[in-house]
Amino acid sequence: MLHFLLLLALRSLLPSTGQPAPPVAAITVPFDLVAGVIVLRNVVLNGQRGDFVLDTGCTYSLVVEQAAFPKSQLHLSAKRGLSAAGSVAMYELPITQFALGALRDHPPLAQATSLAAIRAVVGPRLLGLIGTGLLLHYEVVLDYTHRRLSLYPLDSSHSPARPFTRRDSVAFTLEKGWPIAIAFIDSVPVQLLLDTGAQDSYLDADFAQNLRAGARPTGTQRETLLTPGGRVAARRATLPALRMGTTEWRNVPLVLAPPVHYQSGRALPYQGVLGEAFLSREPLVSFHYGRRQLYFLTPTKP
């Protein structure tokens, strides 16, 4: 899906004052899996109600479909977004109203661009993407079994008890807002973006070609990627083995795609993407942005 550069400063939550605040309830909303990505229904933005993709590969707080809003409300941004097909024009939309379940907090601006390629897959009610910028102050729990998203505030003194235990984890760093984990293919380190906004997993075709023969992905099925900047030729393949921490996954399906670069020509800080096809192998996972950990969870008995 979309992988955007972090170009806006992110707001911090204000510390509480006065009397101790009561626990803040987790925000829980249902989601659908559409074309392999998490879609949140009935999100309200500036008086419109529609669908948003939960996209940890998008570093902005909110990215919206520019065609869904009057041109008079859009202001051309000096910054440009980034897709697999190159840079794309971006606009800014002032936010006057936002509601995701009980969540009302929102940044002052949303980034706006054409999401036509994503709408063609997810559906015409798609209004936008919810990215990392809006998720930084939460533990983001994805319950694939019951199709529920829960946001737990990271202030432990105000946060409710979790109905799960954490059993395994994968550390990640935030590079320009992207959650990136280090894995190993054979003995070669590879930085991978943890991306709920991507249906498949991806690997830089040039990086893959430089692996030793027995460790390279194999497969010849051609694939066409739809991106905001156009169509990109790729190839479906299977990675023999991928090791993250103490866990090794075998025969990982992925797509070999051309490398994406900044406008300056510099390489991105990752060589591949782990999308929903990989993340949803576990029925219950969480992105803990405070600890910078992707957790695999076990529900506790009521």
Side-chain angles (χ1 to χ4, degrees):
M1 283 296 184
L2 298 178
H3 310 304
F4 288 98
L5 306 180
L6 179 63
L7 300 170
L8 294 178
L10 299 176
R11 299 185 304 158
S12 297
L13 292 180
L14 295 176
S16 61
T17 59
Q19 296 298 320
V24 178
I27 297 164
T28 299
V29 294
F31 68 76
D32 292 329
L33 280 178
V34 181
V37 295
I38 292 174
V39 176
L40 305 169
R41 307 290 192 185
N42 298 315
V43 180
V44 177
L45 180 69
N46 287 11
Q48 295 201 50
R49 188 181 297 271
D51 299 340
F52 275 73
V53 170
L54 185 76
D55 189 354
T56 58
C58 169
T59 61
Y60 291 113
S61 295
L62 294 169
V63 175
V64 298
E65 167 56 64
Q66 67 186 54
F69 299 90
K71 291 183 179 179
S72 60
Q73 296 181 13
L74 302 174
H75 309 286
L76 184 63
S77 173
K79 308 297 185 180
R80 294 179 68 86
L82 191 66
S83 80
S87 65
V88 293
M90 299 288 290
Y91 297 83
E92 293 178 344
L93 173 73
I95 300 177
T96 59
Q97 179 192 26
F98 176 77
L100 170 62
L103 179 64
R104 297 292 187 272
D105 188 40
H106 62 77
L109 296 171
Q111 303 303 302
T113 190
S114 173
L115 301 179
I118 305 174
R119 269 189 163 187
V121 176
V122 174
R125 296 186 72 251
L126 178 72
L127 278 183
L129 314 172
I130 294 174
T132 299
L134 199 68
L135 304 175
L136 284 173
H137 303 289
Y138 299 94
E139 180 173 11
V140 180
V141 178
L142 305 175
D143 184 339
Y144 289 103
T145 300
H146 301 98
R147 299 289 196 268
R148 287 195 299 250
L149 163 71
S150 295
L151 302 176
Y152 290 86
L154 291 181
D155 185 344
S156 59
S157 64
H158 299 163
S159 187
R162 288 9 177 206
F164 52 78
T165 56
R166 304 180 181 98
R167 48 185 176 80
D168 295 304
S169 68
V170 172
F172 63 81
T173 59
L174 285 177
E175 301 287 341
K176 297 186 180 295
W178 284 305
I180 296 175
I182 296 178
F184 289 86
I185 301 174
D186 200 15
S187 59
V188 179
V190 55
Q191 301 206 76
L192 300 173
L193 173 66
L194 305 174
D195 187 1
T196 60
Q199 174 184 5
D200 296 303
S201 298
Y202 299 85
L203 189 63
D204 183 319
D206 292 349
F207 179 90
Q209 185 59 37
N210 290 326
L211 296 169
R212 71 173 182 85
R216 287 180 203 150
T218 58
T220 58
Q221 181 182 345
R222 294 181 179 178
E223 181 85 358
T224 299
L225 304 181
L226 294 175
T227 76
R231 295 174 179 267
V232 176
R235 177 165 60 91
R236 286 203 172 270
T238 300
L239 183 66
L242 178 71
R243 179 166 55 87
M244 298 178 69
T246 58
T247 303
E248 183 173 83
W249 283 272
R250 293 279 183 177
N251 300 319
V252 179
L254 49 76
V255 175
L256 298 176
V260 179
H261 295 88
Y262 294 109
Q263 285 181 273
S264 65
R266 291 186 300 114
L268 295 180
Y270 58 87
Q271 296 84 44
V273 172
L274 293 180
E276 281 294 342
F278 182 89
L279 298 172
S280 61
R281 289 182 172 206
E282 294 284 341
L284 191 64
V285 301
S286 79
F287 285 79
H288 196 303
Y289 283 98
R291 298 176 182 174
R292 305 292 196 263
Q293 296 283 330
L294 171 71
Y295 285 110
F296 305 123
L297 310 173
T298 299
T300 54
K301 295 180 180 181

